[in-house]
Amino acid sequence: MIKTAARALAAAALALLPLATTVPAHAAETLSLHDAIETLPQAAESRDGYERSKFKHWIDEDKDGCNTRAEVLIDEAFTPPNIGPGCRLTGGSWFSYYDDKVVDGPSGLDIDHMVPLAEAWDSGASQWTAARRQAYANDLDAERSLVAATARSNRQKADQDPAQWMPPAAHAQCPYLADWVGTKLRWSLTVDRDERNALRRLAAGCENTDVEYERV
């Protein structure tokens, strides 16, 4: 898996640093979904000043010819696509867990920001630097920050939070809540009152669901 390989290379690079070098790190944390929801800081939301262009996305961070969108598609495919010149992807198969659909070929897929860019802006990203917003929009280091989903489900979701939209597939509900809450915790994003109340209500049937995250 590309993300796993990237993490292994990063760990190897850190091992070569001089002992005197201090490398800031955050330990991975695991909470029950209930506790994770209560850990989220609460604040009012504001979309003032939001523009999608303030989150530079689909970059080629590692300069291997494949941008973030392609990296996610390659990583999440259960039948690997063919990778042509310029990282053009053909063939391959994916499972869109939002709506329980198998998709053949990459053209029917969108890459969904688990917490949409506009929602992130509302929840604290408006105060970030441009560099941090770019890192958020291209986060390949967390398994569920970016998700390959059918174009239909992604566009139905748009910029809505769980108070307004949840995946239509019943089995997707608890994993989606964990992915949403984990992403907000990872990036220290807030929730408003309606969102927290919706998360509490929706999580009532997810007793055995944990949230795993690592803050950045």
Side-chain angles (χ1 to χ4, degrees), residues 90-107:
T90 56
S93 298
W94 289 263
F95 177 70
S96 171
Y97 91 88
Y98 291 178
D99 46 5
D100 201 22
K101 302 288 186 185
V102 173
V103 180
D104 294 322
S107 62

Side-chain angles (χ1 to χ4, degrees), residues 135-208:
Y136 176 83
N138 298 275
D139 185 9
L140 292 172
D141 292 326
E143 292 292 335
R144 308 311 291 174
S145 289
L146 300 168
V147 181
T150 59
R152 177 186 176 90
S153 64
N154 183 53
R155 291 164 198 182
Q156 287 175 340
K157 174 182 173 178
D159 59 6
Q160 300 178 93
D161 70 28
Q164 303 151 329
W165 185 90
M166 284 289 289
H171 68 80
Q173 305 272 310
C174 294
Y176 182 82
L177 292 172
D179 292 344
W180 180 277
V181 173
T183 300
K184 284 221 159 179
L185 287 172
R186 173 171 169 77
W187 288 92
S188 300
L189 295 170
T190 62
V191 292
D192 63 17
R193 181 184 294 107
D194 288 345
E195 183 181 349
R196 189 193 300 281
N197 289 341
L199 291 170
R200 288 168 172 163
R201 172 175 52 80
L202 292 164
C206 303
E207 294 87 353
N208 298 317

Side-chain angles (χ1 to χ4, degrees), residues 113-127:
H113 290 92
M114 173 54 59
V115 175
L117 302 181
E119 169 69 20
W121 178 271
D122 299 349
S123 306
S126 61
Q127 304 303 309

Side-chain angles (χ1 to χ4, degrees), residues 37-149:
I37 291 169
E38 299 310 315
T39 299
L40 288 165
Q42 185 169 309
E45 293 186 356
S46 173
R47 196 155 297 184
D48 292 348
Y50 170 72
E51 295 176 9
R52 188 173 175 84
S53 61
K54 291 182 177 179
F55 292 81
K56 185 177 180 180
H57 54 288
W58 304 167
I59 64 170
D60 179 10
E61 185 172 15
D62 60 5
K63 310 301 182 187
D64 67 351
C66 294
N67 67 15
T68 301
R69 171 185 162 79
E71 299 275 17
V72 175
L73 288 172
I74 293 168
D75 187 62
E76 294 193 3
F78 65 81
T79 301
N82 298 311
I83 306 173
C87 202
R88 181 174 180 270
L89 305 182
T90 56
S93 298
W94 289 263
F95 177 70
S96 171
Y97 91 88
Y98 291 178
D99 46 5
D100 201 22
K101 302 288 186 185
V102 173
V103 180
D104 294 322
S107 62
L109 293 159
D110 284 351
I111 303 304
D112 180 42
H113 290 92
M114 173 54 59
V115 175
L117 302 181
E119 169 69 20
W121 178 271
D122 299 349
S123 306
S126 61
Q127 304 303 309
W128 293 353
T129 63
R132 184 168 173 84
R133 286 196 290 268
Q134 176 176 303
Y136 176 83
N138 298 275
D139 185 9
L140 292 172
D141 292 326
E143 292 292 335
R144 308 311 291 174
S145 289
L146 300 168
V147 181

